[in-house]
Amino acid sequence: MKILFLDQSGKLGGAELSLLDVASAFSPHCLVGVFQDGPFPQALASRHIPYQVLAQSSIAVSKESPWADGAKSLGQLAPLVATIARLGQDFDLIYTNTSKALILGALASRLCGKPLVHHLRDIVSPEHFSRANRTLLVTAANWCAAHVIANSVATQAAFIAAGGAAQTISVIYNGFAPAAYQTAPEARADLRAELGWHDKFIVGHFSRLAPWKGQHILLEALAQCPDPVVALLVGDALFGEDDYVKGLYRQVQRLGLTHRVKFMGFRSDIPPLMQACDLITHTSIAPEPFGRVIVEAMLCQRPIVAAAAGGAVELVTDGETGWLCPPNQAQTLGDLINHSYHHPEQTQAIAQAGYHHALTHFTLDQTHQALRQLLGEFSTKG
Ligand code: UDP
Ligand code: GLC
């Protein structure tokens, strides 16, 4: 089965990190078409996954854009659709991994007559998409996708609520290679010493810096915690959220937290950084479609507090495999962090239960098997 994967981003977001793992299972009998150069194509190259950068400049339409912006970019899109349709002739299936890839892939699949499967990794709701883009996405999926894979039940439900065809969508969770999350035992102590925080209670946050990811909620919560509780924020603004980042720096100053917060920028060494932490928080204020960081924290044997919305509630059982906190509630998050700080034994038990849960439910082998079976059903070689 030869697959043409399509992804709009050159950056390394969760959708692209997931696609790296998916495509490696089909490599070398695949091609990943990317609409932008950057760290994602570089990561494909370093894993020897065949790829091609298909566009010279990024497409100027965002999830919140109205119709008019989409129409204006048609001139830029038509040659890209033609390129994809030409490439598609050599493959058994087109697999789109992002919403812009779906729109272009849908048109191209019509032109080259190859089946299309879309991997829906977004919650198609007003919090994330303009009305115009919700309609466009759902219409393209209904008309052109042989099947839609949702990354969670929440993503599936939002798609159907937005008018998506219920009979064409099913859930496959993201999978992870557990071995990638084991690190040398001394790494934790070394990193904590390097940070100058060997005796602190380190609360980690691992996510691109963006308003809906809610880093500001963690800062507000931290201000309610005692001095030894500190925060490590790993991640950068990937999609131009520079004003939000400036706001976070101002918030740190205003709350008097300069000695208790470190911004690390984008990092590729997530497992050792997670293991250096005592607790990991996920604070999205809009429903998280899946939340890779939640499962990654579990695999690093670290306790997780996740925002109780979207796919996150499918990953965490409150008080058993982690804690759930209502989104946008800094006070409750502060209380949970304090609770964890004062109850190390319970915290340790929760981390262990989360670890075993992730090992049982979210392995890459399980995801690959489910994907192979599903894609086989829809490919021209199926
Ligand atoms: N991540 C990373 N470096 C960073 C911050 C985050 O590699 O500095 C990774 C993180 O480990 C996770 C992914 O980015 O695998 C984010 O995926 P998630 O599903 O949590 O959120 P998304 O950003 O896709 O909405
Ligand atoms: C998207 C979602 C995130 C999910 C990732 C991988 O980036 O925002 O929640 O984990 O895709 O499916």
Side-chain angles (χ1 to χ4, degrees):
M1 181 172 33
K2 288 178 71 186
I3 304 186
L4 174 60
F5 294 100
L6 296 175
D7 191 294
Q8 71 202 44
S9 177
K11 311 265 174 65
L12 272 177
E16 291 68 36
L17 289 164
S18 299
L19 182 56
L20 271 176
D21 286 336
V22 170
S24 54
F26 294 92
S27 183
H29 307 292
C30 70
L31 178 71
V32 183
V34 193
F35 301 172
Q36 202 185 33
D37 209 350
F40 176 44
Q42 282 161 24
L44 288 162
S46 68
R47 290 211 198 177
H48 308 289
I49 299 171
Y51 75 95
Q52 199 172 314
V53 180
L54 303 177
Q56 296 315 313
S57 54
S58 67
I59 300 161
V61 187
S62 74
K63 287 181 183 171
E64 301 82 21
S65 301
W67 286 112
D69 290 8
K72 269 187 257 162
S73 60
L74 272 180
Q76 186 191 4
L77 302 186
L80 198 47
V81 172
T83 305
I84 297 167
R86 193 163 16 83
L87 287 171
Q89 284 162 3
D90 294 333
F91 293 87
D92 306 313
L93 181 93
I94 299 177
Y95 170 122
T96 52
N97 195 55
T98 56
S99 44
K100 285 180 208 168
L102 166 65
I103 306 304
L104 304 194
L107 295 169
S109 92
R110 282 293 166 109
L111 286 174
C112 67
K114 295 300 168 89
L116 179 138
V117 169
H118 179 56
H119 204 138
L120 181 62
R121 299 183 178 280
D122 293 312
I123 291 199
V124 190
S125 70
E127 286 122 319
H128 291 284
F129 288 86
S130 69
R131 179 193 284 272
N133 284 338
R134 291 200 303 277
T135 307
L136 192 61
L137 199 153
V138 164
T139 307
N142 286 351
W143 283 7
C144 300
H147 197 76
V148 178
I149 303 164
N151 61 358
S152 67
V153 175
T155 295
Q156 180 185 40
F159 176 75
I160 296 169
Q167 69 279 11
T168 59
I169 186 164
S170 60
V171 177
I172 298 182
Y173 286 123
N174 291 310
F176 301 80
Y181 297 89
Q182 313 298 319
T183 55
E186 64 278 10
R188 173 176 159 90
D190 290 352
L191 251 167
R192 289 170 68 93
E194 225 173 86
L195 291 164
W197 279 352
H198 68 279
D199 55 349
K200 304 290 185 197
F201 184 84
I202 306 181
V203 180
H205 195 291
F206 295 76
S207 171
R208 55 200 167 88
L209 303 178
W212 78 273
K213 290 293 188 179
Q215 280 86 358
H216 58 287
I217 302 295
L218 171 59
L219 296 180
E220 219 177 304
L222 187 71
Q224 300 163 34
C225 299
D227 231 36
V229 181
V230 295
L232 190 70
L233 280 85
V234 180
D236 206 350
L238 294 190
F239 305 109
E241 298 93 344
D242 300 340
D243 288 346
Y244 181 63
V245 179
K246 284 184 200 143
L248 289 175
Y249 283 117
R250 279 198 301 270
Q251 189 185 4
V252 168
Q253 296 276 349
R254 181 164 41 80
L255 294 171
L257 295 173
T258 37
H259 61 296
R260 291 172 59 198
V261 175
K262 286 190 203 293
F263 289 92
M264 307 296 286
F266 185 89
R267 298 279 294 239
S268 304
D269 52 342
I270 296 300
L273 283 164
M274 281 193 169
Q275 274 158 9
C277 297
D278 297 290
L279 177 71
I280 292 169
T281 53
H282 161 271
T283 57
S284 296
I285 58 170
E288 181 72 57
F290 177 86
R292 288 175 55 90
V293 290
I294 297 168
V295 179
E296 290 174 332
M298 289 173 167
L299 289 172
C300 288
Q301 306 187 44
R302 287 292 162 265
I304 177 83
V305 182
V313 300
E314 298 161 46
L315 310 181
V316 175
T317 305
D318 188 30
E320 279 180 33
T321 54
W323 282 286
L324 288 171
C325 177
N328 220 346
Q329 298 288 328
Q331 172 82 49
T332 316
L333 181 62
D335 292 346
L336 277 166
I337 295 172
N338 270 318
H339 178 87
S340 170
Y341 174 55
H342 290 295
H343 296 86
E345 278 173 22
Q346 188 197 0
T347 298
Q348 173 66 10
I350 281 189
Q352 283 310 308
Y355 175 59
H356 291 292
H357 182 69
L359 277 185
T360 327
H361 293 91
F362 300 105
T363 64
L364 204 48
D365 289 346
Q366 288 165 312
T367 304
H368 282 163
Q369 208 182 327
L371 278 172
R372 266 188 198 291
Q373 189 177 338
L374 189 135
L375 298 178
E377 278 172 39
F378 293 102
S379 92
T380 51
K381 278 266 177 73

